[in-house]
Amino acid sequence: MRLRFNLAIGALLCLIIITAAIFAPWLAQFDPIADADLMNAELPPDATFWFGTDAQGRDIFSRVLHGARVSLTVGIGSQLINTTIGLALGVSAGYFGGWWDDFVSGLTNLMLAIPSLIFALAIMAILGPGLGSLLIALGLTNWSWTCRIARSSALSLKKQGYVQAAKTLGYSDVRLMVTQIVPNMIGPILVIGTLGMGDAILAEAALSYLGLGIRPPLPSWGGMLTDARNLIVLAPWAAIFPGIAIFVTVLGLNLLGDGLRDILDPHMRTRRA
């Protein structure tokens, strides 16, 4: 019962966020990057401005909707980079073994010992703020867990009969890893990728809050929290709504990842039953 609940609620929340991001240009009532309109600054939520306005008079509802596009781009884009790096290193290390396995394992342990946000901060300080820099920074910092899972799976899968049969048929090492090993570890990789998207969205919010994330006037939830930090008393809605958006998105991804893990892991499913 809990398995189905987590999966259903997580999928529903993710569907809402994805729908909001896709249809943001049509759902938004106002231009999210419009010039300052001080006559409408810091207005509370009403029938015109559903989420109120910020210190520059911009509609918060429109900016939250368009901010969903930025957050999903960061979450999906960074996880694609993470997964590519983690799979390439982990599968090759588990398959070939030897000195390459020792090197990748040592590199993975080193990355796990460095706080990912600190590492991302260092990369952003070098590359400068911006969406592209953010994708690179987050994509280079969180591949370690994917690598570990891919390595352990490859160590087990390379001994399977179908892998040995493919080898006798003349499959090259690369073809064997791509067609026989990687497809059989998609389950756990999909789960860790879903959970990693939530971490990436939180990291984007933190970096944007510190001024090293998305460049204004492009709306991002972390940037909106930065703009609202001096308005907590006078206009708390400026921080509440982007904060709720981050909470709902990360919660949905975590519940979805938890549900997928229970479905794809038979041992976990048996224990929950």
Side-chain angles (χ1 to χ4, degrees), residues 54-97:
D54 60 13
Q56 299 183 44
R58 296 173 299 190
D59 179 50
I60 294 176
F61 177 73
S62 301
R63 289 178 61 79
V64 167
L65 288 178
H66 283 267
R69 290 187 157 194
V70 173
S71 293
L72 290 180
T73 299
V74 169
I76 295 173
S78 63
Q79 280 309 116
L80 287 176
I81 298 174
N82 289 337
T83 302
T84 301
I85 296 174
L87 276 178
L89 292 177
V91 172
S92 61
Y95 180 80
F96 292 113

Side-chain angles (χ1 to χ4, degrees), residues 1 3-4 258-273:
M1 185 67 181
L3 181 156
R4 295 179 180 178
D258 190 43
L260 289 174
R261 180 188 61 190
D262 290 349
I263 289 176
L264 297 172
D265 185 348
H267 301 291
M268 183 68 71
R269 186 166 60 247
T270 300
R271 287 199 297 269
R272 291 286 175 86

Side-chain angles (χ1 to χ4, degrees), residues 220-264:
S220 74
W221 294 336
M224 294 175 69
L225 290 176
T226 301
D227 296 339
R229 59 187 171 185
N230 296 323
L231 302 175
I232 296 298
V233 176
L234 296 177
W237 53 85
I240 289 174
F241 290 110
I244 290 176
I246 294 173
F247 171 77
V248 169
T249 303
V250 176
L251 177 63
L253 289 169
N254 286 340
L255 289 176
L256 181 61
D258 190 43
L260 289 174
R261 180 188 61 190
D262 290 349
I263 289 176
L264 297 172

Side-chain angles (χ1 to χ4, degrees), residues 204-222:
E204 180 274 322
L207 290 170
S208 294
Y209 185 83
L210 296 173
L212 289 173
I214 304 300
R215 289 177 176 173
L218 187 66
S220 74
W221 294 336

Side-chain angles (χ1 to χ4, degrees), residues 95 157-158 160-168 176 180-181:
Y95 180 80
L157 292 172
K158 73 177 183 179
Q160 299 298 316
Y162 61 86
V163 175
Q164 298 301 320
K167 186 178 295 187
T168 60
L176 196 150
Q180 303 299 317
I181 294 180

